[in-house]
Amino acid sequence: MTPDSTTTSIRFATRADAALIAEMSRDLIERGLGWSWTRERVLRSLRHPDTNAVVAVREAERAGFGIMKYGEDEAHLLLLAVRPACARRGVGSALLDWLERSARVAGVRRISLEARFGNVGARNFYTRFGYAQSQLLPGYYGGREASVRMAKRLGEEREA
């Protein structure tokens, strides 16, 4: 990560963020797969009581976002993206840290996610934070691309 004195703040996403979140998902996560996380789908997530959607802000600009759905013992990181101009400046780390802390407070013991097999950068990012590959899912993304399911048990990093 490049040293950077700019502070990243995390806040809950609002209806006003929905279009930008959807566009970032389309352009940064779903590129080449078809667009499933439309504004309407993001808005449904914002209204869902078991889902947190957060936005990272740097210098008054929305730099990234994360959406996580919480179950009783497990949470599922649905989406996490950072604008390329803000990459390697701690934005993704701040988002993931916020979501993981929220999961711990909620009593969650495990977080899972899927990453595109071809997105080595994302897979390496999650590995650095203690996520391990648990399954390879061929054709997961519309029959076009494999997914790597990754998971992390919460609390183990404190015990180590």
Side-chain angles (χ1 to χ4, degrees):
M1 180 168 58
T2 303
D4 190 338
S5 62
T6 305
T7 302
T8 300
S9 62
I10 307 297
R11 65 166 173 78
F12 285 107
T14 66
R15 290 180 57 83
D17 297 312
L20 179 68
I21 290 171
E23 290 166 8
M24 287 178 71
S25 179
R26 178 194 64 206
D27 298 344
L28 302 174
I29 299 171
E30 300 179 86
R31 185 180 55 250
L33 298 174
W35 190 15
S36 68
W37 279 90
T38 61
R39 179 181 177 274
E40 292 73 26
R41 186 172 180 190
V42 171
L43 285 169
R44 282 194 306 272
S45 288
L46 292 178
R47 290 189 301 266
H48 197 284
D50 294 334
T51 302
N52 273 343
V54 293
V55 173
V57 178
R58 287 173 55 86
E59 298 177 350
E61 180 183 351
R62 293 172 289 186
F65 74 93
I67 300 176
M68 187 178 303
K69 185 171 186 165
Y70 297 80
E72 196 167 311
D73 292 323
E74 184 169 339
H76 190 94
L77 181 58
L78 300 171
L79 296 173
L80 186 119
V82 174
R83 287 183 183 277
C86 298
R88 300 196 183 285
R89 297 202 170 11
V91 175
S93 301
L95 285 163
L96 190 58
D97 179 64
W98 192 100
L99 291 163
E100 286 183 357
R101 283 187 289 117
S102 295
R104 284 185 188 93
V105 168
V108 168
R109 296 178 164 201
R110 183 176 184 268
I111 298 174
S112 63
L113 61 92
E114 288 82 31
R116 291 171 78 159
F117 179 79
N119 191 343
V120 176
R123 292 173 30 219
N124 288 339
F125 170 79
Y126 292 118
T127 299
R128 281 195 315 273
F129 285 90
Y131 289 79
Q133 180 176 323
S134 61
Q135 191 175 11
L136 178 65
L137 305 166
Y140 181 83
Y141 294 106
R144 296 184 192 151
E145 187 171 351
S147 167
V148 175
R149 183 162 291 148
M150 301 181 81
K152 176 180 181 176
R153 292 211 170 277
L154 298 180
E156 291 179 358
E157 63 276 8
R158 289 180 298 202
E159 296 166 11

